[in-house]
Amino acid sequence: MGALPSTELRGYEILKDRVQGVLDLLQEGRSIDFKKASSWDDLKQGIPKDVLAMSNLRDGGLIIIGVEENNNVWNCTGITDEQINTYNPDDMIDYVNKYASPSINFDIVTHEDDNKLKYLIIVNFRTFHN
């Protein structure tokens, strides 16, 4: 598996700004869902439901892995490179689409904030690309 694309790459400017804005606010909503940093095997059971729900929204949504809730307060914890390496886009898309008809397309990218914390983002990429 090759490296996942980053929000630093050309073409991801709008997504980068959107993700950073969400991380600055730290507020979940219909189109924003946070997950604690974990491997794909630890999180995969809950991902299809969230992706399917967001695929029904006009503007799609973001699932940001690397944000954790503690005593009703969201904290940016980031995700390790070791955890990121467990996320294979082809396997993820195949797994989610076992539950979808028609198939759902989504993108998986990484994001690094100003504090050098990394996040894994699952995104309806049609909405956020330039």
Side-chain angles (χ1 to χ4, degrees), residues 14-70:
I14 292 172
L15 176 60
K16 178 182 177 179
D17 292 343
R18 173 79 168 130
V19 169
Q20 194 55 58
V22 168
L23 291 172
D24 290 343
L25 284 176
L26 285 178
Q27 184 174 335
E28 280 190 317
R30 284 182 47 191
S31 63
I32 306 295
D33 190 48
F34 298 132
K35 302 283 185 198
K36 70 178 184 170
S38 294
S39 70
W40 168 243
D41 283 338
D42 290 341
L43 282 184
K44 73 180 181 181
Q45 295 301 319
I47 297 294
K49 176 182 69 88
D50 294 333
V51 171
L52 290 169
M54 288 180 185
S55 72
N56 289 319
L57 300 175
R58 188 183 89 176
D59 293 331
L62 300 172
I63 300 170
I64 301 177
I65 302 169
V67 179
E68 195 170 313
E69 188 176 23
N70 189 4

Side-chain angles (χ1 to χ4, degrees), residues 11 29-30 38 40 50 64 70 96 99 115-116 122-123 125 127:
R30 284 182 47 191
S38 294
W40 168 243
D50 294 333
I64 301 177
N70 189 4
V96 169
Y99 303 95
N115 296 318
K116 304 294 184 205
I122 300 171
V123 60
F125 64 91
T127 304

Side-chain angles (χ1 to χ4, degrees), residues 76-90:
C76 293
T77 58
I79 185 170
T80 67
D81 287 334
E82 182 180 14
Q83 290 167 323
I84 288 172
N85 289 335
T86 67
Y87 291 82
N88 178 307
D90 293 334

Side-chain angles (χ1 to χ4, degrees), residues 83-107:
Q83 290 167 323
I84 288 172
N85 289 335
T86 67
Y87 291 82
N88 178 307
D90 293 334
D91 292 344
M92 293 172 69
I93 290 168
D94 288 347
Y95 185 80
V96 169
N97 280 312
K98 288 192 315 186
Y99 303 95
S101 181
S103 295
I104 297 172
N105 290 318
F106 55 92
D107 205 358

